[in-house]
Amino acid sequence: MMGTIVYGFSDSPFGEIIVAATAKGICDLQFLEHSRMQAIHELGSRWGVYTSTTIDNEMAETVAGVIFEGLDKPLTIDLRGTEFQIGVWNQLREIPFGQTASYQDMADRLGSPGAVRAVASAIARNPVAMLIPCHRVIHSDGSVGEYHWGRELKKRLLEWEAQVAEEAAAGSALSKGPLRLTVNSSTVPLAEELSNDIFKGELDGLF
């Protein structure tokens, strides 16, 4: 498959992010761990089927505005994964802003209560951070668990969302409802899934 990836960078309250999109929608969103050049290299390693890239920081800034500043603008996501992964990622979108769910909760909601490890593995391969809110999944004992960008960032994200939700409930801030997202999904065999183990630390200490 040939195509073009558009990518851009934006600041956020939690550090710089890189956002990438295909013609079908946003396909990748990560917090930067190292340099921009390293982030671009990692993007290419995940989406090597695309032959060219163009930069569009305005696109990335718009996405950041929707996520972190309450900008009311519809977004489209381009998800590519196995049928099970896409099912898990769509279920993650059902966790309300300011709330959390456990890995077991997620397995139960998917009708597969014995598939906690498989669910955690799918969460670990979520390619679109924040828009697919995998950070809202925690351990059954209430501990936040691992996160690719560190437990501290995961904790800060959850605390920020809880505070915004509390202020909205008290009437001191605008309510942040569900994001207006359209999802385009493409199912691929397991052997062809993206090499995108960005949340590999999620499984550490889960069992």
Side-chain angles (χ1 to χ4, degrees):
M1 180 171 58
M2 309 294 279
T4 299
I5 286 281
V6 177
Y7 71 91
F9 298 93
S10 177
D11 290 329
S12 85
F14 303 96
E16 193 170 24
I17 61 173
I18 181 172
V19 184
T22 67
K24 293 183 177 181
I26 299 161
C27 63
D28 208 285
L29 194 160
Q30 319 287 328
F31 290 97
L32 263 65
E33 294 183 274
H34 306 293
S35 67
R36 287 188 172 189
M37 187 60 67
Q38 180 66 24
I40 295 170
H41 174 76
E42 292 172 354
L43 179 68
S45 71
R46 290 191 294 273
W47 292 90
V49 292
Y50 287 81
T51 58
S52 61
T53 59
T54 58
I55 189 164
D56 184 352
N57 287 332
E58 184 176 351
M59 176 272 295
E61 290 164 0
T62 296
V63 173
V66 170
I67 296 171
F68 300 108
E69 299 174 9
L71 178 64
D72 185 18
K73 184 177 179 65
L75 298 175
T76 301
I77 301 177
D78 179 11
L79 289 181
R80 183 172 184 265
T82 66
E83 183 176 357
F84 183 79
Q85 287 172 338
I86 290 173
V88 172
W89 298 338
N90 282 329
Q91 190 62 48
L92 287 170
R93 296 173 52 225
E94 300 299 318
I95 305 174
F97 185 91
Q99 298 183 32
T100 59
S102 71
Y103 293 94
Q104 185 63 63
D105 290 335
M106 294 296 296
D108 292 344
R109 293 173 188 179
L110 288 160
S112 303
V116 177
R117 180 172 288 277
V119 167
S121 179
I123 292 172
R125 290 180 177 271
N126 168 32
V128 190
M130 301 304 294
L131 294 177
I132 304 293
C134 54
H135 62 283
R136 295 178 192 163
V137 182
I138 62 174
H139 290 176
S140 297
D141 63 4
S143 59
V144 297
E146 299 295 335
Y147 195 49
H148 179 72
W149 297 286
R151 293 186 183 187
E152 183 58 32
L153 177 57
K154 186 174 184 178
K155 182 179 178 182
R156 288 172 59 206
L157 289 170
L158 293 174
E159 289 175 344
W160 169 70
E161 290 188 344
Q163 180 180 354
V164 171
E166 182 179 350
E167 291 174 352
S172 58
L174 292 176
S175 176
K176 187 170 175 52
L179 298 177
R180 292 196 289 152
L181 295 178
T182 299
V183 177
N184 292 320
S185 57
S186 301
T187 303
V188 298
L190 183 62
E192 296 180 13
E193 64 182 331
L194 292 177
S195 176
N196 192 22
D197 202 7
I198 61 170
F199 293 100
K200 56 189 176 183
E202 286 280 3
L203 295 175
D204 296 344
L206 182 57
F207 299 96

